[in-house]
Structures are given as C-alpha cells and as structure tokens.
Amino acid sequence: MDYSQALETAIKRLHDEGRYRTFIDIEREKGAFPHAVWTRPDGSKKDITVWCGNDYLGMGQNPVVLRAMHEAVDATGAGSGGTRNISGTTVYHKQLEAELADLHGKEAALVFSSAYIANDATLSTLPVLFPGLIIYSDSLNHASMIEGIRRNGGAKRIFRHNDVAHLRELMAADDPAAPKLVAFESIYSMDGDFGPILQLVEAAEEFGALSYLDEVHAVGMYGPRGGGVSEKLGLQGRIDIINGTLGKAFGVFGGYIAASAQMVDAVRSYAPGFIFTTSLPPAIAAGAAASIAFLKTAEGQKLRDAQQLHARILKTRLKSLGMPIIDHGTHIVPVHVGNPVHCKLLSDMLLEDYGVYAQPINFPTVPRGTERLRFTPSPVHDSAQIDALVRAMDSLWALCALNRAEASA
C-alpha cells in the first residue's frame, strides 16, 4: 500500500469538503483577555479579540487563580512525578477533589487529565462494575461519552435528543432486572440547548436506572455556587454521577466526576484511564481549586450575572439584524451558516479584516448542513468589543449575500 498517497487522499478530502481544520496561532495577554495577538503564517502579527474561547468567565487570568498556581510551583516544582497510585497524589489533588465534592454536594470526586478522559474512562468502566449494564444515551451526547459507551462492549440504546418518551419506551422494552444507566448532558454546546434533566432523572428513577450527567458547559456558569444546571434546579442529590471540566468556566485544565464515595472508589480502582495516567501537575490542581472556591462566592455570582447579560445583549443585537441565531436561553450564541465553505470564509474574513476570532464549526462536530459560527461572550468582553463584532457580522452577511430572518427591534 502507498501509505503516503492514502494520507494525501484523506487530507485532500477534508479540503475538498471545506472542513479542513486550521489552527490559529494566538498569544493571550494576561490581564487583557479577550484581547490576543495572532501570528500569521508569514510571521506578521495582528491584534485580535477572541470570541470562541471556552474560558467563559475569564478565570484563566483571575489573580486568585494565578497566585495559587505560582505558590504551588514555588512550593513543589513543575510536574506531579507519577500516577495517582505512584507518588502522584499530593495535598493539592486532595484539596481539589474536596472542593469538587462540596461543589456538587457529593461524598467524593475524582480528577482526570480531561473531561473527555473522565467520560471515556468512567463510562467504559461501569459495565465492568455492573455486569449486563444497559446504557441509554442521548443521540447528541458528546464524542467522549459516545466513545466510552462504545468501548465498553456492553448493551447500549440511543434515544432521540431530549426525547424522554422515547427513553421510556426503550427502557420499558428491556429486562426490568437488568442494571441500567441513563447518560445525558445539561447543556449541549453546539446548539446551546438545555437537557430536560428533571424528566430524565424521573424516568431513570422509575426504571431503577443510574443517572450520569455531563455538566461540562455548565459548571461554574449556573447555580448559586456554580455547580451547574443540576444545582440551579436543586437536583444534584438525585443524580448518581456528575461529570465536569476544569478547563472551561474554571479557566484551568482537567476533568472530573463527582459521586458517592463508593462509586468513586470503584471507578478509581478499575478505570485504566485513571490508573495509568500521570496526575495533574500540582500547580494546575491548586489553580483549579482556587477557581472553584472563588466561583462559589458572591464575587463568582457577579461574573455569572455579567456573562449572562453580555450573552443576552449579543443575541438581541444579532436578532435585530435578522441573523439566524440559535437561542435556547443559554450562554452560547451559535449563528447558523449551513455551508462549510461559507462558514470557513466568514471565519477567515472576520479574523483578517476585523480582528474577530471565531472558529468555524463544521462536520463532524455538527451534522452536515448545520455548519455555524459559535460565539462565547464573557464578562471580560466590553461593549465596544460587542459592538465591533455586531458591525463586522452585519457587513460580512451583506457582502456574502447570506439570508436573514425578518429583522425585529
């Protein structure tokens, strides 16, 4: 086989379909985010505003977080030195897991190198712990959940997105004695819609199933202490396993699950994705713990309120221009384009001509024909930056002769 030719063909296919992913080389500036500097391929530099980051609350530059990380580096050095089992568990990891357990009202938490790994490792391990387990998964669950469920080799059922009636039909058709688990998300990040958590939990309880909730795009962002949508709804105590990230609203790095002490102990003891991975550097754990603790306070609520306000302002202004935005009431602002080539061109022109960085979202992240730009306003985006984005989108939409909905004030 001509391996080089096969690789060339595969990459060319992505280019031909308009969904080849390019990495934008940017340098964030401490204290100035969302301002950053873009280094073009030719080496020249341009000032830009980042509009597609997941550091939703700007905690990646918060002085409380930075101070905790500096102190940990000065005290312990760089890396952890091993897996959690072999010298890689420090006081910083234990403090972080205690903060997470408290955040979600659980007995324990377990930190992984990413939320992707946390989902994959946990969901692929649960059938080992519960032989014969049937997992019921929302059709739009994240790739990490899909991969974990696929890899476990056990029985799985896919229910239509947010369709509780379909979930009930599937569970009713299976053996009542079989162990079951319902896996779903609180916020689906591509459309920015909420999952019907209460109804899904009620269905799980009715059929004796465990519940598994991915709160990745909600932790830090919702609830009186940033525990996510489940905290906002008062449902944390009825959910068996909560998955979250430390790399979005908390502004640092890593992922985790929170559950009963018994559940966490079992996953810790059986999941290869946890057992055989070097633990987070102590400075990362210290920064994440400081971020979580900060966002539990009234100061954290101020950031959440400001972020929601900026999201509403951006949505209102784009709607007034007839932009086809997808608005389900969350903090995410997707603008539907519907063509991968157009989506990439819009992204390129926003960056080059207006200094607005918004990465195109194409297949397989979203279904074909639903390509979009996805904006993530934060508390640190100011009114001038919002105005510049809206004016840029208005100009480019007209230039490219794209469709608009009926404009309304």
Side-chain angles (χ1 to χ4, degrees):
M1 180 178 183
D2 187 337
Y3 296 104
S4 179
Q5 181 59 49
L7 294 173
E8 184 177 340
T9 299
I11 296 298
K12 183 178 184 298
R13 182 165 60 249
L14 296 178
H15 281 288
D16 291 344
E17 294 176 3
R19 59 186 186 92
Y20 178 78
R21 297 172 187 241
T22 57
F23 296 156
I24 306 302
D25 183 359
I26 68 169
E27 181 179 356
R28 287 167 47 126
E29 295 185 355
K30 185 183 74 172
F33 188 77
H35 176 266
V37 177
W38 168 42
T39 301
R40 296 185 178 94
D42 64 5
S44 63
K45 296 181 181 296
K46 181 180 178 66
D47 290 338
I48 63 170
T49 301
V50 177
W51 273 101
C52 58
N54 288 331
D55 186 358
Y56 291 136
L57 299 176
M59 292 301 294
Q61 63 178 354
N62 188 289
V64 170
V65 175
L66 301 183
R67 183 166 57 250
M69 295 183 72
H70 280 296
E71 290 174 355
V73 167
D74 291 340
T76 69
S80 68
T83 65
R84 288 291 296 273
N85 185 53
I86 305 175
S87 80
T89 295
T90 70
V91 293
Y92 299 100
H93 296 87
K94 301 301 289 183
Q95 178 188 5
L96 172 56
E97 288 172 343
E99 285 285 0
L100 288 166
D102 174 73
L103 176 69
H104 293 293
K106 298 297 184 186
E107 293 176 340
L110 192 65
V111 172
F112 293 77
S113 54
S114 72
Y116 187 108
I117 298 299
N119 271 334
D120 185 4
T122 303
L123 288 168
S124 63
T125 298
L126 289 175
V128 177
L129 303 174
F130 307 108
L133 180 70
I134 303 171
I135 297 182
Y136 303 83
S137 176
D138 188 286
S139 62
L140 291 189
N141 276 342
H142 190 265
S144 58
M145 301 173 76
I146 294 170
E147 181 63 16
I149 294 167
R150 184 191 66 79
R151 281 202 312 109
N152 69 38
K156 64 179 183 293
R157 311 282 187 260
I158 311 301
F159 60 92
R160 291 184 293 270
H161 179 51
N162 283 349
D163 191 335
V164 181
H166 187 215
L167 169 64
R168 288 177 179 276
E169 290 175 16
L170 293 174
M171 288 197 289
D174 283 320
D175 181 357
K180 300 176 178 67
L181 179 141
V182 181
F184 50 96
E185 300 184 34
S186 60
I187 294 178
Y188 292 84
S189 63
M190 290 302 106
D191 282 349
D193 58 326
F194 290 105
I197 299 176
L198 174 59
Q199 292 83 356
L200 290 167
V201 168
E202 288 175 340
E205 292 172 343
E206 178 183 337
F207 287 89
L210 296 170
S211 51
Y212 186 104
L213 173 62
D214 181 309
E215 286 261 38
V216 161
H217 289 275
V219 289
M221 303 293 294
Y222 297 85
R225 300 195 311 155
V229 179
S230 58
E231 184 196 26
K232 179 181 178 181
L233 298 177
L235 294 173
Q236 289 187 123
R238 295 171 66 179
I239 296 164
D240 295 290
I241 304 173
I242 296 175
N243 166 276
T245 183
L246 306 171
K248 291 184 170 62
F250 294 129
V252 191
F253 179 79
Y256 64 89
I257 61 166
S260 69
Q262 188 180 38
M263 180 72 77
V264 166
D265 191 25
V267 173
R268 177 190 72 86
S269 301
Y270 279 87
F274 175 81
I275 295 170
F276 299 105
T277 298
T278 299
S279 65
L280 292 181
I284 297 294
S291 181
I292 295 163
F294 180 88
L295 289 177
K296 290 176 180 177
T297 68
E299 291 302 308
Q301 188 58 48
K302 289 179 183 178
L303 290 181
R304 285 188 284 275
D305 290 342
Q307 194 283 329
Q308 291 287 336
L309 174 62
H310 289 175
R312 288 195 298 272
I313 290 171
L314 180 59
K315 288 177 182 179
T316 300
R317 294 197 61 185
L318 291 176
K319 282 181 181 179
S320 72
L321 295 173
M323 295 287 166
I325 79 165
I326 304 168
D327 185 6
H328 293 285
T330 65
H331 60 282
I332 296 167
V333 186
V335 179
H336 182 268
V337 178
N339 179 288
V341 175
H342 292 166
C343 198
K344 179 66 167 61
L345 285 173
L346 280 169
S347 173
D348 289 346
M349 287 187 289
L350 281 170
L351 185 65
E352 183 63 53
D353 299 339
Y354 295 93
V356 169
Y357 176 34
Q359 193 75 359
I361 307 295
N362 292 332
F363 178 85
T365 306
V366 295
R368 297 180 192 274
T370 68
E371 292 81 7
R372 66 201 63 181
L373 297 172
R374 178 179 172 272
F375 300 107
T376 52
S378 74
V380 293
H381 286 92
D382 59 32
S383 58
Q385 290 164 336
I386 294 174
D387 189 61
L389 169 60
V390 171
R391 290 179 183 276
M393 286 291 288
D394 188 27
S395 297
L396 287 180
W397 222 257
L399 177 66
C400 299
L402 295 173
N403 290 333
R404 301 186 193 234
E406 182 179 350
S408 58

